[in-house]
Amino acid sequence: MGETLKNRELWIMGIDCCAGRGKFLCAYLAEAGYKARTAKIEELADSKPQGILLDISPFSTDGWGILLQLKTSSETRNIPVLPLYLSMEGKVGGVFPAAGFFTLPIDPEYLTERLAVLGLTEDAQIWDLRTLLVSRSGEEKLSQVMGSIDFELVKGYTGKEGLALASTGPFYMVFCTLMLPDMSAFELLERLRLFPRTRNLPFFVLIKEVMKDGERSAMSREIDHLVRKKELSKEEFLSYLRRNTP
């Protein structure tokens, strides 16, 4: 989001606006020159932020529901979202810098449009580019769309298989369903970030348009497991923000 944000707001969502859980995050952002505030999803009817920082921890106020509302609406699905883990006190425990989110079933026109806007289709007709898809169901419609824009799609069906495939050669981007048989998309993202070859791969998360309460609870527990009570310093958090948001 960088220097262009001096006159644009970041909104912090998924926290109770009256509980003070956003005070650390707002202080970090203010010290770095960002304009930020806590907000509720209803406010999007009147204005749009430059980006949204979304708490998806077990302590969030319906973080997963907010993510689904944002990404299933044509009015808000293009707003950049940076998922993060905030402790009960509001301290940043982890950041999950996905390049974007697409809902299932895939909307072919929207997918190709967003990849073009992000500059990810410019070299597809010149180079033999491989894309990794990690999904238990194979996502045939996604395969068809990527083939139509000259990408070779390589499929893995579990997180471990995806990691093994990622080590075999260069990939251009990754698509991964939110929940895999052996791990979540965010755990796969964390593991890929450990290796120089895959650290900066654009990583897109595929989410179902409807998530049951049990699925939301399972994802929150998975995020809690990934973070393991660690805490990011202000400098660490801001480095994620600068590198991974437009």
Side-chain angles (χ1 to χ4, degrees):
M1 297 175 184
E3 294 303 318
T4 61
L5 260 185
K6 289 189 181 294
N7 297 310
R8 298 292 299 277
E9 278 190 328
L10 291 178
W11 286 6
I12 304 166
M13 290 188 169
I15 63 175
D16 186 335
C17 295
C18 299
R21 287 188 66 235
K23 61 182 180 181
F24 292 105
L25 200 52
C26 286
Y28 288 171
L29 293 166
E31 287 183 41
Y34 292 93
K35 186 178 180 182
R37 66 179 179 89
T38 57
K40 295 183 177 180
I41 197 162
E42 294 82 4
E43 297 178 61
L44 289 166
D46 300 317
S47 61
K48 303 292 188 293
Q50 182 78 8
I52 292 171
L53 307 180
L54 179 64
D55 179 24
I56 54 172
S57 75
F59 313 108
S60 71
T61 306
D62 194 25
W64 295 109
I66 293 171
L67 180 63
L68 287 172
Q69 288 186 64
L70 290 169
K71 296 306 172 181
T72 54
S73 169
S74 59
E75 297 295 319
T76 58
R77 62 186 180 182
N78 291 338
I79 299 173
V81 175
L82 182 62
L84 45 80
Y85 177 105
L86 294 182
S87 70
M88 187 178 292
E89 297 78 23
K91 296 182 179 180
V92 183
V95 177
F96 305 98
F101 298 85
F102 294 102
T103 55
L104 296 171
I106 285 291
D107 178 340
E109 184 176 344
Y110 178 64
L111 174 63
T112 53
E113 172 195 316
R114 289 307 300 165
L115 293 180
V117 167
L118 294 170
L120 295 174
T121 59
E122 296 172 356
D123 297 329
Q125 295 181 350
I126 301 173
W127 307 101
D128 182 17
L129 299 178
R130 297 198 306 165
T131 295
L132 179 61
L133 167 64
V134 189
S135 167
R136 72 174 76 191
S137 60
E139 308 303 340
E140 189 56 36
K141 184 174 284 189
L142 178 62
S143 302
Q144 294 170 359
V145 175
M146 297 306 290
S148 72
I149 54 177
D150 299 312
F151 283 90
E152 176 191 355
L153 199 68
V154 179
K155 297 180 181 179
Y157 297 91
T158 67
K160 290 180 180 177
E161 188 176 359
L163 285 167
L165 287 168
S167 68
T168 62
F171 282 89
Y172 196 63
M173 67 182 100
V174 180
F175 291 90
C176 182
T177 49
L178 184 61
M179 286 298 291
L180 298 166
D182 54 346
M183 66 181 72
S184 71
F186 292 118
E187 182 173 351
L188 179 59
L189 172 61
E190 289 279 283
R191 294 193 183 192
L192 290 174
R193 282 163 49 188
L194 296 175
F195 305 101
R197 172 180 282 177
T198 55
R199 180 175 297 147
N200 296 314
L201 281 179
F203 189 103
F204 296 97
V205 179
L206 307 175
I207 54 177
K208 296 187 298 182
E209 289 189 338
V210 177
M211 285 179 68
K212 297 177 182 178
D213 289 342
E215 293 173 316
R216 298 184 192 193
S217 298
M219 277 304 305
S220 290
R221 289 194 299 272
E222 169 69 13
I223 295 298
D224 198 44
H225 167 73
L226 278 178
V227 170
R228 291 192 179 91
K229 304 186 185 304
K230 68 182 179 183
E231 181 182 333
L232 299 183
S233 68
K234 178 183 69 176
E235 291 72 22
E236 288 173 321
F237 165 69
L238 291 173
S239 71
Y240 278 117
L241 186 69
R242 291 167 179 141
R243 287 200 310 267
N244 298 290
T245 52

